[in-house]
Amino acid sequence: MHAYLDNAATTPVAPEVVKAMMDVYTTVHGNPSSTHAPGRKAKALIETSRRTIASLLGVPPRTICFTSGGTEADNHAIKAAVSCLGVKRIITSAAEHSAVIKATQQASDRHQLELVHVQHQEDGQVDMGHLAELLAGSEKRTLVSLMHANNEVGVMVNLARLSALCRDHGALLHSDTVQTMGHYPLDLNAVDVDFLACSAHKLHGPKGTGFLYVNPKLRIDGMIVGGGQERMLRGGTENVAGIVGLAEAFAAAFEHMAEHEAHVRAMKARMVQGLRERVPGVVFNGDSDKEDRLYTVLNVQFPEHPNGGMAVFLLDLEGVACSGGSACSSGATLGSHVLRALQFHDPNKASVRFSFSRYTSEADIDFALDAAQKVFAPAEEVV
Ligand code: PLP
């Protein structure tokens, strides 16, 4: 048996998404930019997908720009804020996803921008008092880039509060919502943000698709230029099947959100309880066992143990897929910049992220608990 508990890295593609994409691959051959009937059919699928997503977020369809995923959406937002909207200062956090860390760093290096990092509280949450001080402390045109939920430890910001604070100080707001889109309701009539990022593969859609939400009040340029696709915001022939798959996944996520959430929370609670009982001394980084943290993620710090340095590898050998730090493109784990930034990193103790989805079963959890108990058995039992 195997247990896949790395859903924050990516989720299995839902069968209804595969079906919708296969229908496109097998029946829709036109280039959406072609004016003939097959082209118009492809174009119509893109626009229907855009309308589906926009209506679930309460925004006009033109605010949705399809991208290759979360990384591109984050990059586009940050680069456009700097090159098109006069941003001279960026406030972000050292615990952001590397897409935001590197894009903000690059923007700051290339354009001599002031780059400021907000502090976090002891429990990992953004220190909103410090953010307010930073916002009040400068007249420069500012972009705040803070993620809705952290992908490693699950700490969350209250988007409505963050937005109100940014608006009070005339700052632009980008939020990486990659881990929360499709997992939490989001009504953009009620929360005023400038840019949001979504990645289909975090919500049972295909890899390599996503979108950038751009507030309709803003005028920005494309980051990738070429054909006039996506209303000049992103050149290149659209990934029609991917976009259809994304919309299908998005619609299913919103339609069944409450029931999926209840299921995932139950799986996570089973994992928390099982770990407490079977591996005495575990703690949960960022209080990731708490109700108000991202419910799909549990970040566990195991007690000091000879197997600690190899924990993710040993769990993998037992058939449990989980992660320690975000996976880099080579597949190696480099330790976690997030745990370091939030001061949860302990060189003597292994931290492992388990993450769950609507497809996670009780049997998966029990299997993973057996594996964790085996890997972290009292040292004298380790052979
Ligand atoms: N932002 C966050 C918070 C993520 O978890 C990820 C994926 O790991 C990304 C951005 C990047 O998304 P993508 O894989 O679609 O480029």
Side-chain angles (χ1 to χ4, degrees), residues 33 63 65 111 136 142 154 166 187 191 239 250 253 264 271 324 354 379 383:
S33 296
T63 60
C65 170
H111 303 273
T142 298
C166 291
D187 178 3
V191 186
N239 176 356
F250 210 78
V264 175
M271 188 81 186
F354 298 99
V383 283

Side-chain angles (χ1 to χ4, degrees), residues 56-72:
L56 289 165
L57 296 175
V59 293
R62 69 179 190 282
T63 60
I64 304 298
C65 170
F66 291 117
T67 66
S68 66
T71 300
E72 184 187 323

Side-chain angles (χ1 to χ4, degrees), residues 108-279:
S108 142
D109 293 346
R110 289 196 180 156
H111 303 273
Q112 286 83 47
L113 301 184
E114 193 187 335
L115 180 62
V116 200
H117 287 122
V118 72
Q119 291 165 6
H120 287 257
Q121 300 171 175
E122 243 175 56
D123 65 358
Q125 310 252 55
V126 168
D127 181 340
M128 296 298 275
H130 185 231
L131 179 62
E133 275 170 37
L134 290 174
L135 282 165
S138 172
E139 294 293 302
K140 286 183 191 165
R141 176 90 162 134
T142 298
L143 170 72
V144 172
S145 178
L146 288 172
M147 67 208 313
H148 188 197
N150 185 279
N151 49 307
E152 290 192 34
V153 295
V155 288
M156 299 189 69
V157 293
N158 179 324
L159 267 190
R161 193 171 157 215
L162 179 62
S163 154
L165 192 57
C166 291
R167 293 306 183 232
D168 281 352
H169 292 88
L172 291 164
L173 173 59
H174 160 246
S175 187
D176 176 336
T177 41
V178 164
Q179 291 290 341
T180 51
M181 280 271 186
H183 298 283
Y184 289 80
L186 182 56
D187 178 3
L188 294 177
N189 285 309
V191 186
D192 187 21
V193 296
D194 295 300
F195 301 105
L196 297 175
C198 173
S199 173
H201 72 97
K202 310 290 185 178
L203 52 117
H204 306 286
K207 294 167 186 61
T209 32
F211 65 83
L212 169 68
Y213 162 78
V214 186
N215 190 307
K217 286 182 228 143
L218 302 176
R219 289 287 162 272
I220 63 166
D221 294 339
M223 185 176 68
I224 299 171
V225 290
Q229 292 91 346
E230 296 299 287
R231 299 174 61 253
M232 312 293 275
L233 281 183
R234 192 200 192 244
T237 302
E238 300 89 334
N239 176 356
V240 183
I243 289 169
V244 167
L246 161 63
E248 184 75 29
F250 210 78
F254 274 73
E255 192 184 344
H256 304 288
M257 196 178 284
E259 101 203 39
H260 292 160
E261 177 175 345
H263 174 78
V264 175
R265 283 188 186 276
M267 295 306 104
K268 178 168 166 175
R270 191 177 182 92
M271 188 81 186
V272 168
Q273 195 191 340
L275 284 169
R276 284 207 174 104
E277 285 167 9
R278 297 168 67 169
V279 190

Side-chain angles (χ1 to χ4, degrees), residues 1-5 7 263 267 270-271 319-320 354 356-371:
M1 182 179 169
H2 292 267
Y4 181 76
L5 296 184
N7 291 279
H263 174 78
M267 295 306 104
R270 191 177 182 92
M271 188 81 186
V320 179
F354 298 99
F356 317 99
S357 83
R358 64 187 195 238
Y359 296 127
T360 307
S361 65
E362 288 187 353
D364 291 328
I365 300 292
D366 294 347
F367 181 77
L369 287 169
D370 286 345

